[in-house]
Amino acid sequence: MRKLSFFDRIVYFLNLILAVTLLLSCLASYISVKTFLPLAFLSLFFPITVILNIPFILYWIYRKKKIFLVSLTAVLISYFLFGSFYKFGSANVSLADKDLSIMTFNTRDFSFKGRAKSELTGKEIIDFIIDQDPDIVCFQEFARGGVKQLKKYPFNYITPYSSQKSIQAIFSKYPIVGNGSLEFPNTLNNALYADILYKSDTIRVYNIHFQSFKVIPSRIKRIGRGLRVYGKMKYAFLKQEEQVQLFVKHRKESPFRTIICSDFNNTSFSNVYRIAKGEMNDTFDKKGSGFGKTFDLKFVPFRIDFILTYKTMDVMTHQKFDLTLSDHYPVKTSIRL
Protein backbone atom coordinates (compact mmCIF):
# COMPACT_ATOMS: atom_id res chain seq x y z
CA MET A 1 0.00 0.00 0.00
CA ARG A 2 2.88 2.38 0.72
CA LYS A 3 4.00 2.17 -2.91
CA LEU A 4 0.56 3.03 -4.25
CA SER A 5 -0.26 6.51 -5.44
CA PHE A 6 -3.17 8.38 -3.91
CA PHE A 7 -5.33 7.52 -6.93
CA ASP A 8 -4.39 3.83 -6.72
CA ARG A 9 -5.27 3.77 -3.05
CA ILE A 10 -8.76 5.00 -3.90
CA VAL A 11 -9.03 2.36 -6.62
CA TYR A 12 -7.82 -0.31 -4.20
CA PHE A 13 -10.39 0.77 -1.60
CA LEU A 14 -13.23 0.51 -4.14
CA ASN A 15 -11.81 -2.79 -5.36
CA LEU A 16 -11.81 -4.20 -1.85
CA ILE A 17 -15.43 -3.16 -1.26
CA LEU A 18 -16.60 -4.86 -4.47
CA ALA A 19 -14.60 -8.04 -3.84
CA VAL A 20 -15.99 -8.34 -0.31
CA THR A 21 -19.51 -7.60 -1.58
CA LEU A 22 -19.17 -10.39 -4.13
CA LEU A 23 -18.00 -12.88 -1.50
CA LEU A 24 -20.82 -11.87 0.83
CA SER A 25 -23.39 -12.36 -1.92
CA CYS A 26 -22.11 -15.94 -2.28
CA LEU A 27 -23.42 -16.60 1.23
CA ALA A 28 -26.99 -15.62 0.31
CA SER A 29 -27.81 -19.13 -0.90
CA TYR A 30 -27.04 -20.60 2.49
CA ILE A 31 -28.59 -18.08 4.86
CA SER A 32 -32.29 -17.59 5.46
CA VAL A 33 -33.85 -14.24 4.67
CA LYS A 34 -35.17 -14.21 8.23
CA THR A 35 -31.63 -14.54 9.56
CA PHE A 36 -29.99 -11.76 7.55
CA LEU A 37 -32.10 -9.91 4.99
CA PRO A 38 -29.35 -7.75 3.35
CA LEU A 39 -27.76 -10.83 1.78
CA ALA A 40 -30.96 -11.47 -0.15
CA PHE A 41 -30.62 -8.04 -1.76
CA LEU A 42 -26.95 -8.68 -2.56
CA SER A 43 -27.82 -11.95 -4.30
CA LEU A 44 -29.99 -10.07 -6.82
CA PHE A 45 -26.99 -8.04 -7.92
CA PHE A 46 -24.56 -10.93 -7.98
CA PRO A 47 -24.04 -10.81 -11.80
CA ILE A 48 -23.40 -7.07 -11.72
CA THR A 49 -20.91 -7.44 -8.87
CA VAL A 50 -18.99 -10.09 -10.79
CA ILE A 51 -18.85 -7.93 -13.90
CA LEU A 52 -17.71 -4.87 -11.92
CA ASN A 53 -14.80 -6.83 -10.44
CA ILE A 54 -13.35 -7.64 -13.85
CA PRO A 55 -12.11 -4.10 -14.71
CA PHE A 56 -10.18 -4.07 -11.43
CA ILE A 57 -8.43 -7.29 -12.41
CA LEU A 58 -7.43 -5.79 -15.74
CA TYR A 59 -6.39 -2.50 -14.16
CA TRP A 60 -4.02 -4.09 -11.62
CA ILE A 61 -2.56 -6.42 -14.24
CA TYR A 62 -1.85 -3.35 -16.39
CA ARG A 63 -0.29 -1.68 -13.37
CA LYS A 64 1.71 -4.89 -12.70
CA LYS A 65 0.39 -5.14 -9.17
CA LYS A 66 -0.39 -8.41 -7.41
CA ILE A 67 -3.49 -6.71 -6.07
CA PHE A 68 -5.29 -8.17 -9.13
CA LEU A 69 -5.49 -11.37 -7.08
CA VAL A 70 -8.06 -9.74 -4.77
CA SER A 71 -10.81 -9.56 -7.39
CA LEU A 72 -9.58 -12.61 -9.30
CA THR A 73 -9.87 -14.76 -6.19
CA ALA A 74 -13.36 -13.42 -5.45
CA VAL A 75 -14.52 -14.06 -9.03
CA LEU A 76 -13.08 -17.59 -9.11
CA ILE A 77 -14.66 -18.49 -5.77
CA SER A 78 -18.03 -17.15 -6.94
CA TYR A 79 -17.78 -18.99 -10.26
CA PHE A 80 -17.03 -22.35 -8.71
CA LEU A 81 -19.77 -21.87 -6.13
CA PHE A 82 -22.25 -20.72 -8.81
CA GLY A 83 -21.36 -22.36 -12.10
CA SER A 84 -24.69 -21.22 -13.52
CA PHE A 85 -23.64 -17.56 -13.68
CA TYR A 86 -22.18 -18.01 -17.16
CA LYS A 87 -21.90 -21.08 -19.35
CA PHE A 88 -19.47 -21.40 -22.22
CA GLY A 89 -21.77 -23.71 -24.17
CA SER A 90 -22.28 -27.44 -24.39
CA ALA A 91 -21.98 -29.95 -27.19
CA ASN A 92 -25.06 -30.44 -29.34
CA VAL A 93 -26.88 -33.70 -28.78
CA SER A 94 -28.86 -35.58 -31.42
CA LEU A 95 -32.47 -35.83 -30.31
CA ALA A 96 -34.47 -39.02 -30.53
CA ASP A 97 -38.20 -39.66 -30.74
CA LYS A 98 -38.16 -40.84 -27.15
CA ASP A 99 -36.93 -37.47 -25.88
CA LEU A 100 -39.46 -35.24 -24.10
CA SER A 101 -39.52 -31.50 -24.87
CA ILE A 102 -40.75 -29.02 -22.26
CA MET A 103 -41.18 -25.26 -22.31
CA THR A 104 -41.83 -22.71 -19.58
CA PHE A 105 -43.00 -19.18 -20.35
CA ASN A 106 -44.38 -16.32 -18.25
CA THR A 107 -46.62 -14.66 -20.84
CA ARG A 108 -47.79 -11.74 -18.68
CA ASP A 109 -51.47 -12.41 -19.47
CA PHE A 110 -50.82 -12.14 -23.24
CA SER A 111 -51.02 -8.36 -22.84
CA PHE A 112 -47.39 -7.21 -22.77
CA LYS A 113 -46.79 -4.14 -24.90
CA GLY A 114 -43.24 -3.17 -23.89
CA ARG A 115 -40.77 -3.19 -26.76
CA ALA A 116 -43.05 -5.41 -28.83
CA LYS A 117 -45.78 -2.73 -28.97
CA SER A 118 -48.22 -5.09 -30.61
CA GLU A 119 -51.94 -5.57 -30.21
CA LEU A 120 -51.45 -9.14 -31.46
CA THR A 121 -49.16 -10.30 -28.67
CA GLY A 122 -51.43 -13.19 -27.72
CA LYS A 123 -51.62 -14.51 -31.27
CA GLU A 124 -47.85 -14.21 -31.69
CA ILE A 125 -47.29 -16.17 -28.49
CA ILE A 126 -49.60 -18.94 -29.68
CA ASP A 127 -47.89 -19.00 -33.08
CA PHE A 128 -44.51 -19.27 -31.34
CA ILE A 129 -45.67 -22.21 -29.21
CA ILE A 130 -47.12 -24.01 -32.23
CA ASP A 131 -43.90 -23.45 -34.17
CA GLN A 132 -41.67 -24.76 -31.37
CA ASP A 133 -44.04 -27.66 -30.76
CA PRO A 134 -42.96 -28.73 -27.23
CA ASP A 135 -44.60 -31.82 -25.75
CA ILE A 136 -45.42 -29.99 -22.51
CA VAL A 137 -45.87 -26.24 -21.98
CA CYS A 138 -46.09 -24.49 -18.63
CA PHE A 139 -47.42 -20.94 -18.61
CA GLN A 140 -47.21 -18.48 -15.77
CA GLU A 141 -49.58 -15.49 -15.92
CA PHE A 142 -51.63 -17.20 -18.61
CA ALA A 143 -54.68 -15.81 -20.42
CA ARG A 144 -57.59 -18.25 -20.54
CA GLY A 145 -58.46 -17.08 -24.04
CA GLY A 146 -55.46 -18.99 -25.36
CA VAL A 147 -56.96 -22.40 -24.51
CA LYS A 148 -59.02 -22.78 -27.69
CA GLN A 149 -56.02 -21.90 -29.84
CA LEU A 150 -53.82 -24.65 -28.41
CA LYS A 151 -55.71 -27.55 -29.96
CA LYS A 152 -52.50 -29.53 -30.42
CA TYR A 153 -52.59 -30.14 -26.68
CA PRO A 154 -55.59 -32.32 -25.84
CA PHE A 155 -54.75 -32.35 -22.14
CA ASN A 156 -54.42 -29.36 -19.84
CA TYR A 157 -54.74 -28.23 -16.27
CA ILE A 158 -55.35 -24.56 -15.50
CA THR A 159 -55.65 -22.68 -12.23
CA PRO A 160 -59.27 -23.26 -11.15
CA TYR A 161 -61.65 -20.30 -11.34
CA SER A 162 -62.49 -20.86 -7.68
CA SER A 163 -58.91 -20.25 -6.47
CA GLN A 164 -58.84 -16.53 -7.45
CA LYS A 165 -55.11 -16.84 -8.05
CA SER A 166 -52.86 -15.66 -10.83
CA ILE A 167 -53.54 -18.00 -13.75
CA GLN A 168 -51.01 -20.78 -14.35
CA ALA A 169 -51.49 -23.51 -16.94
CA ILE A 170 -49.97 -26.84 -17.95
CA PHE A 171 -50.60 -28.12 -21.49
CA SER A 172 -49.61 -31.63 -22.53
CA LYS A 173 -49.73 -33.92 -25.55
CA TYR A 174 -49.76 -36.82 -23.12
CA PRO A 175 -52.60 -37.78 -20.75
CA ILE A 176 -52.86 -35.97 -17.41
CA VAL A 177 -53.88 -38.63 -14.89
CA GLY A 178 -53.77 -36.43 -11.78
CA ASN A 179 -53.49 -32.76 -10.88
CA GLY A 180 -53.71 -30.24 -8.09
CA SER A 181 -53.01 -26.70 -6.96
CA LEU A 182 -50.76 -25.49 -4.14
CA GLU A 183 -52.61 -22.55 -2.65
CA PHE A 184 -49.92 -20.25 -1.27
CA PRO A 185 -51.55 -18.26 1.54
CA ASN A 186 -52.26 -14.51 1.41
CA THR A 187 -51.01 -13.99 -2.14
CA LEU A 188 -52.13 -14.19 -5.76
CA ASN A 189 -49.23 -16.53 -6.53
CA ASN A 190 -49.58 -20.27 -6.64
CA ALA A 191 -48.24 -23.51 -8.08
CA LEU A 192 -49.89 -26.26 -10.11
CA TYR A 193 -48.90 -29.84 -10.66
CA ALA A 194 -49.95 -32.40 -13.24
CA ASP A 195 -49.17 -36.12 -13.22
CA ILE A 196 -48.51 -36.96 -16.86
CA LEU A 197 -48.54 -40.45 -18.32
CA TYR A 198 -45.54 -40.47 -20.63
CA LYS A 199 -45.44 -43.78 -22.47
CA SER A 200 -45.13 -46.35 -19.67
CA ASP A 201 -44.02 -43.87 -17.01
CA THR A 202 -45.79 -41.25 -14.90
CA ILE A 203 -43.96 -37.99 -14.19
CA ARG A 204 -45.09 -35.05 -12.10
CA VAL A 205 -44.70 -31.60 -13.65
CA TYR A 206 -44.85 -28.61 -11.33
CA ASN A 207 -45.59 -25.12 -12.62
CA ILE A 208 -44.50 -22.60 -10.01
CA HIS A 209 -44.91 -18.85 -9.76
CA PHE A 210 -43.34 -17.47 -6.60
CA GLN A 211 -44.05 -14.05 -5.10
CA SER A 212 -43.28 -11.09 -7.35
CA PHE A 213 -41.42 -7.99 -6.16
CA LYS A 214 -43.96 -5.78 -7.98
CA VAL A 215 -41.25 -3.23 -8.62
CA ILE A 216 -40.63 -1.28 -11.82
CA PRO A 217 -36.99 -0.05 -11.67
CA SER A 218 -37.54 2.88 -14.04
CA ARG A 219 -40.07 4.41 -11.63
CA ILE A 220 -37.73 4.54 -8.63
CA LYS A 221 -36.83 8.23 -8.64
CA ARG A 222 -37.52 9.56 -5.17
CA ILE A 223 -36.33 8.51 -1.72
CA GLY A 224 -39.89 8.01 -0.50
CA ARG A 225 -40.68 5.75 -3.39
CA GLY A 226 -37.37 3.95 -2.85
CA LEU A 227 -38.37 3.17 0.74
CA ARG A 228 -41.68 1.74 -0.45
CA VAL A 229 -39.75 -0.40 -2.94
CA TYR A 230 -37.57 -1.69 -0.11
CA GLY A 231 -40.69 -2.66 1.80
CA LYS A 232 -42.14 -4.49 -1.21
CA MET A 233 -38.91 -6.38 -1.80
CA LYS A 234 -38.56 -7.36 1.85
CA TYR A 235 -42.12 -8.68 1.81
CA ALA A 236 -41.45 -10.62 -1.41
CA PHE A 237 -38.26 -12.22 -0.05
CA LEU A 238 -40.10 -13.41 3.05
CA LYS A 239 -43.08 -14.73 1.05
CA GLN A 240 -40.83 -16.54 -1.41
CA GLU A 241 -39.06 -18.35 1.40
CA GLU A 242 -42.41 -19.32 2.91
CA GLN A 243 -43.69 -20.53 -0.46
CA VAL A 244 -40.62 -22.59 -1.33
CA GLN A 245 -40.87 -24.42 1.99
CA LEU A 246 -44.50 -25.31 1.24
CA PHE A 247 -43.52 -26.47 -2.23
CA VAL A 248 -40.60 -28.64 -1.08
CA LYS A 249 -42.78 -30.33 1.52
CA HIS A 250 -45.30 -31.15 -1.21
CA ARG A 251 -42.64 -32.39 -3.64
CA LYS A 252 -41.14 -34.75 -1.07
CA GLU A 253 -44.52 -36.46 -0.79
CA SER A 254 -44.73 -37.05 -4.55
CA PRO A 255 -44.63 -40.71 -5.60
CA PHE A 256 -43.30 -39.73 -9.04
CA ARG A 257 -40.13 -38.32 -10.53
CA THR A 258 -40.57 -34.59 -10.95
CA ILE A 259 -39.88 -31.76 -13.37
CA ILE A 260 -40.18 -28.13 -12.26
CA CYS A 261 -41.10 -25.31 -14.63
CA SER A 262 -40.96 -21.98 -12.85
CA ASP A 263 -40.82 -18.26 -12.54
CA PHE A 264 -39.09 -18.02 -9.16
CA ASN A 265 -38.95 -14.20 -9.29
CA ASN A 266 -35.48 -14.68 -7.85
CA THR A 267 -32.09 -15.69 -9.18
CA SER A 268 -30.03 -18.86 -9.02
CA PHE A 269 -27.89 -17.20 -6.33
CA SER A 270 -30.74 -17.04 -3.84
CA ASN A 271 -31.66 -19.20 -0.89
CA VAL A 272 -35.05 -19.81 -2.51
CA TYR A 273 -33.44 -21.33 -5.60
CA ARG A 274 -31.09 -23.55 -3.59
CA ILE A 275 -33.96 -24.93 -1.51
CA ALA A 276 -36.22 -25.51 -4.53
CA LYS A 277 -33.48 -27.12 -6.61
CA GLY A 278 -32.21 -29.53 -3.97
CA GLU A 279 -30.54 -32.42 -5.82
CA MET A 280 -32.34 -31.73 -9.10
CA ASN A 281 -30.64 -30.72 -12.35
CA ASP A 282 -30.87 -27.18 -13.68
CA THR A 283 -31.13 -27.59 -17.46
CA PHE A 284 -29.13 -24.40 -17.98
CA ASP A 285 -26.25 -25.84 -15.96
CA LYS A 286 -26.25 -28.92 -18.14
CA LYS A 287 -26.75 -27.54 -21.63
CA GLY A 288 -27.07 -23.75 -21.45
CA SER A 289 -24.78 -21.06 -22.83
CA GLY A 290 -24.01 -17.43 -22.07
CA PHE A 291 -25.73 -15.66 -19.17
CA GLY A 292 -29.06 -17.39 -19.76
CA LYS A 293 -30.95 -14.15 -19.10
CA THR A 294 -34.71 -14.74 -18.90
CA PHE A 295 -36.04 -11.38 -17.68
CA ASP A 296 -36.10 -8.28 -19.84
CA LEU A 297 -34.23 -5.78 -17.67
CA LYS A 298 -31.65 -3.63 -19.42
CA PHE A 299 -27.99 -4.27 -18.65
CA VAL A 300 -28.74 -6.90 -15.97
CA PRO A 301 -28.57 -10.62 -16.88
CA PHE A 302 -31.36 -11.79 -14.58
CA ARG A 303 -32.12 -15.51 -14.89
CA ILE A 304 -35.28 -16.11 -12.88
CA ASP A 305 -37.11 -18.67 -15.04
CA PHE A 306 -35.98 -22.25 -14.62
CA ILE A 307 -36.58 -25.82 -15.69
CA LEU A 308 -35.34 -28.30 -13.09
CA THR A 309 -35.38 -32.03 -13.71
CA TYR A 310 -35.13 -35.14 -11.58
CA LYS A 311 -31.51 -36.18 -11.08
CA THR A 312 -31.81 -39.42 -13.11
CA MET A 313 -33.19 -37.63 -16.18
CA ASP A 314 -30.64 -36.76 -18.87
CA VAL A 315 -30.78 -33.18 -20.13
CA MET A 316 -30.23 -33.18 -23.90
CA THR A 317 -30.78 -29.52 -24.83
CA HIS A 318 -31.51 -26.11 -23.31
CA GLN A 319 -32.72 -23.09 -25.29
CA LYS A 320 -33.66 -19.56 -24.32
CA PHE A 321 -35.53 -17.43 -26.86
CA ASP A 322 -34.98 -13.67 -27.04
CA LEU A 323 -38.60 -12.78 -27.75
CA THR A 324 -40.18 -9.44 -26.87
CA LEU A 325 -43.68 -10.82 -26.38
CA SER A 326 -43.42 -10.63 -22.58
CA ASP A 327 -41.08 -9.24 -19.97
CA HIS A 328 -39.88 -12.85 -19.60
CA TYR A 329 -38.17 -15.00 -22.22
CA PRO A 330 -39.37 -18.56 -22.86
CA VAL A 331 -37.10 -21.48 -21.99
CA LYS A 332 -37.21 -24.89 -23.65
CA THR A 333 -35.43 -28.13 -22.86
CA SER A 334 -35.37 -31.73 -24.07
CA ILE A 335 -34.81 -34.57 -21.66
CA ARG A 336 -34.35 -38.30 -21.87
CA LEU A 337 -35.99 -40.30 -19.09
Side-chain angles (χ1 to χ4, degrees), residues 281-297:
N281 292 320
D282 185 328
T283 60
F284 176 77
D285 285 344
K286 295 295 182 180
K287 294 294 178 180
S289 62
F291 290 105
K293 177 178 178 176
T294 67
F295 186 71
D296 187 16
L297 182 62

Side-chain angles (χ1 to χ4, degrees), residues 92-107:
N92 293 323
V93 177
S94 298
L95 298 180
D97 291 338
K98 62 182 178 180
D99 295 332
L100 181 69
S101 59
I102 305 161
M103 178 176 285
T104 185
F105 192 7
N106 183 320
T107 54

Side-chain angles (χ1 to χ4, degrees), residues 299-315:
F299 312 119
V300 183
F302 273 160
R303 187 169 75 93
I304 63 176
D305 302 85
F306 307 92
I307 301 178
L308 309 177
T309 65
Y310 196 76
K311 58 186 177 182
T312 61
M313 297 175 180
D314 294 325
V315 179

Side-chain angles (χ1 to χ4, degrees), residues 46-109:
F46 179 92
I48 299 175
T49 312
V50 172
I51 293 169
L52 290 177
N53 268 277
I54 294 175
F56 287 103
I57 297 173
L58 299 176
Y59 177 78
W60 293 120
I61 289 176
Y62 173 77
R63 297 281 289 131
K64 298 180 180 180
K65 300 290 185 181
K66 291 183 179 179
I67 299 173
F68 78 90
L69 292 172
V70 173
S71 279
L72 180 61
T73 300
V75 169
L76 289 176
I77 289 173
S78 66
Y79 183 81
F80 285 109
L81 283 178
F82 302 107
S84 60
F85 168 64
Y86 187 92
K87 303 298 290 185
F88 291 96
S90 303
N92 293 323
V93 177
S94 298
L95 298 180
D97 291 338
K98 62 182 178 180
D99 295 332
L100 181 69
S101 59
I102 305 161
M103 178 176 285
T104 185
F105 192 7
N106 183 320
T107 54
R108 198 171 172 179
D109 304 320

